Amino acid sequence: MFKMALLCRVLCSRGVRCATERRRRLAQVAQLAQRLRRSVQPPGTLRYDRGMFPRWLGVSVVFFAVACGPPAAQPTVGPVPTAQPKAPPTAPVPTAAPSSTATLVEPAPPPPPPPPVPPPKFAPPFERTAESTDGTWEPLVKGGEGEPALLYRTTVHPHPIKGFIYAAIVAIDLTRTHIQLVAGTEEPETKTVPESKRTGLVPLDKQDDLLVIINGGFMAKHGKYGMMVGGDEFLTPREDACAVAKRKDGSMWIGSWSELKGKNAELDYYRQTPVCMIEKGALHPDLDDDYKRRKWGGQNDGRKDTRRSAVGLDASGKILFYGLGEWVFPKDMAVAMKAAGAVNAAQLDINWSYTRFLIMGKPTPGAPIQVVDTLIPKIEHTKRGYVEKPATRDFFYVTRKRP
């Protein structure tokens, strides 16, 4: 009986309809009850015990009903979540190597080097005759907005005992200026260059940037020192001379002609002078000889102390020094130039009438370019000389470089 109940429950749990199964199982129960009844009666006994059958049958029906009753409510089970496979660890994405065809970003160019001026302050050559401002550089011609001056000046007392002898020295920044040579209308004398190429004037297109005018060298009759401008040779160069030259790349050069000989094709211009006062940092030995120093000239009465001018270069080649000395001997001029920082120096013209350092400008807005100041007092000039009135002697002019 218990087996029957268990079977029915299993069948019902499998979804068999209990109504149909109940009818079939009732028949089976009736047959089973009849067999059991027979098995408990003595053989040959046909007695029918009504009390016993209904009690047993009732118990069987109860068990059957329990077994085949309505199926037990099954708990509602949601969809079983499918276990998600664990994602493999993400490998780092390799960075692609730069392609050989990729456009490379050029690094920013380094800032330009600072201007070479003012030069370092220097100790006066002789403490006994020095003044407190000797060796201290002061602005002379201003530069652009936020820039140092283009030209600086200082004073040197180059004589050991004569305090009235002095030289004014100017430092010119060659990285921000141009220096050009111009032939005068008369000097140097020449038979090879036409007058049309010796205007004696600063070109009109250069006058807006004009800063200063500097005197040139000796007259032709005082040594016949050579000169060339733009390929036009006014005088043939001397073998024993010093020279001030500008290369076509814009750099300046001062030294013995023997080192420059044969390089005319590399030069924009040259102007020869007496032998170099200073070369490679050393003063010329003839400066100490009363007789030999005559090569640097003197006054008409034979005196050697007079106004003298000279130009020199520092060791970097980025500063041009101009010196103008009062009552100086050739050696005094050389001592002053070396103290300022010149490692090579050449003397230009001498005497009151021919030495020039004129500061050019416009005194008022709209005024024409003219001389507005001089390096030292009592320099002979005309206000519009070199820009309107032609110069008879060769000269240098300095202009501001355009950005």
Side-chain angles (χ1 to χ4, degrees), residues 186-235:
E186 299 177 9
E187 287 289 338
E189 294 178 352
T190 183
K191 296 180 181 180
T192 60
V193 181
E195 291 184 4
S196 61
K197 292 190 175 182
R198 44 190 314 155
T199 64
L201 292 171
V202 175
L204 188 61
D205 63 343
K206 304 294 184 183
Q207 292 185 13
D208 283 345
D209 296 317
L210 183 59
L211 301 175
V212 298
I213 301 291
I214 298 171
N215 60 268
F218 283 4
M219 297 171 67
K221 66 181 182 181
H222 294 150
K224 295 189 180 298
Y225 292 106
M227 175 171 155
M228 182 272 288
V229 179
D232 294 319
E233 190 175 83
F234 290 79
L235 288 175

Side-chain angles (χ1 to χ4, degrees), residues 93-104:
V93 179
T95 303
S99 171
S100 59
T101 59
T103 302
L104 298 178

Side-chain angles (χ1 to χ4, degrees), residues 214-219 222 225-226 241-244 254-255 271-279 284 287 292-299 303-313 321-325 328-335 337 342 344-351 354-355 394 396:
I214 298 171
N215 60 268
F218 283 4
M219 297 171 67
H222 294 150
Y225 292 106
C242 188
V244 179
I254 296 175
R271 180 61 161 102
Q272 285 193 324
T273 72
V275 294
C276 298
M277 287 183 155
I278 307 171
E279 195 158 24
H284 197 287
L287 292 168
K292 293 181 179 180
R293 70 186 180 190
R294 292 186 303 170
K295 60 174 65 77
W296 287 285
Q299 296 189 52
R303 293 178 59 184
K304 300 300 183 289
D305 54 339
T306 187
R307 180 180 286 181
R308 296 179 186 273
S309 66
V311 288
L313 284 172
F321 295 104
Y322 174 87
L324 188 55
V328 293
F329 288 92
K331 184 177 180 179
D332 299 330
M333 192 73 250
V335 168
M337 295 294 286
N344 293 287
Q347 179 184 273
L348 293 179
D349 219 337
I350 64 173
N351 295 329
Y354 308 122
T355 49
D394 57 282
F396 297 91

Side-chain angles (χ1 to χ4, degrees), residues 20-282:
T20 304
E21 186 67 17
R22 186 179 296 112
R23 287 193 296 270
R24 189 172 68 84
R25 291 301 179 188
L26 283 173
Q28 291 177 349
V29 169
Q31 292 176 2
L32 179 60
Q34 188 176 5
R35 289 191 193 104
L36 291 172
R37 189 173 56 247
R38 289 175 182 172
S39 65
V40 297
Q41 288 182 350
T45 304
L46 299 175
R47 186 177 61 89
Y48 174 68
D49 189 347
R50 291 182 176 269
M52 178 180 175
F53 176 72
R55 190 183 304 116
W56 174 89
L57 182 62
V59 173
S60 301
V61 171
V62 170
F63 277 98
F64 184 83
V66 171
C68 286
Q74 299 295 321
T76 302
V77 179
V80 177
T82 304
Q84 298 295 327
K86 186 176 181 180
T90 304
V93 179
T95 303
S99 171
S100 59
T101 59
T103 302
L104 298 178
V105 178
E106 293 293 336
V117 293
K121 181 178 180 180
F122 60 89
F126 302 105
E127 185 177 353
R128 177 179 175 179
T129 55
E131 294 186 1
S132 60
T133 56
D134 283 12
T136 301
W137 297 96
E138 298 177 349
L140 180 63
V141 175
K142 67 179 182 180
E145 187 69 27
E147 295 181 350
L150 295 170
L151 282 71
Y152 285 79
R153 67 155 292 165
T154 191
T155 302
V156 183
H157 289 77
H159 198 278
I161 59 174
K162 296 179 180 179
F164 64 89
I165 294 177
Y166 77 95
I169 309 294
V170 177
I172 304 171
D173 182 357
L174 294 178
T175 68
R176 295 181 290 154
T177 60
H178 293 290
I179 299 183
Q180 190 59 41
L181 175 63
V182 177
T185 58
E186 299 177 9
E187 287 289 338
E189 294 178 352
T190 183
K191 296 180 181 180
T192 60
V193 181
E195 291 184 4
S196 61
K197 292 190 175 182
R198 44 190 314 155
T199 64
L201 292 171
V202 175
L204 188 61
D205 63 343
K206 304 294 184 183
Q207 292 185 13
D208 283 345
D209 296 317
L210 183 59
L211 301 175
V212 298
I213 301 291
I214 298 171
N215 60 268
F218 283 4
M219 297 171 67
K221 66 181 182 181
H222 294 150
K224 295 189 180 298
Y225 292 106
M227 175 171 155
M228 182 272 288
V229 179
D232 294 319
E233 190 175 83
F234 290 79
L235 288 175
T236 304
R238 287 179 49 159
E239 297 292 329
D240 62 345
C242 188
V244 179
K246 180 180 179 181
R247 299 184 181 94
K248 289 183 178 178
D249 64 5
S251 62
M252 298 294 294
W253 185 90
I254 296 175
S256 294
W257 178 253
S258 59
E259 297 184 12
L260 204 59
K261 184 179 178 180
K263 299 180 180 179
N264 282 19
E266 302 175 16
L267 304 179
D268 183 26
Y269 64 76
Y270 68 79
R271 180 61 161 102
Q272 285 193 324
T273 72
V275 294
C276 298
M277 287 183 155
I278 307 171
E279 195 158 24
K280 298 178 182 178

